[in-house]
Amino acid sequence: MGSSFSSGMRGGRTRKLKSEINVVPYIDVMLVLLIIFMVMPSANDPSVVDLPRAEKSTKPPSDYVQIVLKPNGALSIGVKGKDEDAPETAPNRDALVRKLRTIHNDHPDYPVLIAGDKDSKYDDVIQLISEAKKLGITRVGLSTK
């Protein structure tokens, strides 16, 4: 009885555990996700700034300087109101600050409104507010819908 038990353990088929991962399903999933993420941004119009909503927001002043921070990081600046000019795009923050300084020298009483997309980086908006304060602009606000 003892010999049949031991021979059954020794003589039977031994299973070897596979220690490798089958990566083919993971590649398929990653390719599907890649296609989804490539198609999704084309549905959104990058020129439209989707501003955050506020329950009670005051009307903007009649004349003001507007800085627009677009979702793709592009910056534009222009004067809104009776002295309205076409907004100019700025390649970087330094060029925008130079243009803001020029506009502020021409119109020192105009407040600045920053229109940042709700997906914009918080740090970018804070940096723009800080730069405006350094120029001596005391009235700086955020645009909302």
Side-chain angles (χ1 to χ4, degrees):
M1 183 169 164
S3 66
S4 66
F5 179 70
S6 63
S7 66
M9 287 292 284
R10 227 178 311 122
R13 282 189 286 160
T14 58
R15 288 189 171 181
K16 188 178 180 186
L17 292 174
K18 278 178 105 177
S19 62
E20 55 196 43
I21 297 174
N22 189 1
V23 295
V24 174
Y26 296 113
I27 293 172
D28 292 342
V29 170
M30 291 304 292
L31 287 174
V32 169
L33 288 175
L34 178 67
I35 291 169
I36 289 171
F37 285 121
M38 285 174 64
V39 171
M40 291 242 327
S42 64
N44 298 335
D45 186 8
S47 65
V48 175
V49 175
D50 190 13
L51 293 172
R53 300 193 182 278
E55 290 300 320
K56 291 184 179 179
S57 61
T58 59
K59 284 187 172 182
S62 57
D63 300 315
Y64 60 94
V65 178
Q66 183 179 38
I67 298 174
V68 179
L69 178 64
K70 298 207 174 143
N72 59 1
L75 298 164
S76 67
I77 184 169
V79 175
K80 296 282 187 178
K82 59 183 182 235
D83 293 336
E84 188 165 339
D85 61 354
E88 294 181 27
T89 57
N92 54 31
R93 194 181 316 144
D94 294 333
L96 183 114
V97 170
R98 284 194 297 273
K99 177 68 178 164
L100 180 60
R101 181 180 291 121
T102 305
I103 293 174
H104 179 63
N105 289 338
D106 295 342
H107 309 286
D109 54 333
Y110 283 12
V112 173
L113 281 181
I114 299 172
D117 189 87
K118 63 183 174 188
D119 297 329
S120 297
K121 289 183 183 173
Y122 182 72
D123 183 55
D124 291 342
V125 175
I126 294 300
Q127 292 292 333
L128 288 173
I129 293 172
S130 173
E131 294 291 341
K133 296 278 187 183
K134 284 179 191 172
L135 292 176
I137 302 169
T138 55
R139 295 169 57 201
V140 180
L142 300 174
S143 283
T144 59
K145 280 187 180 175

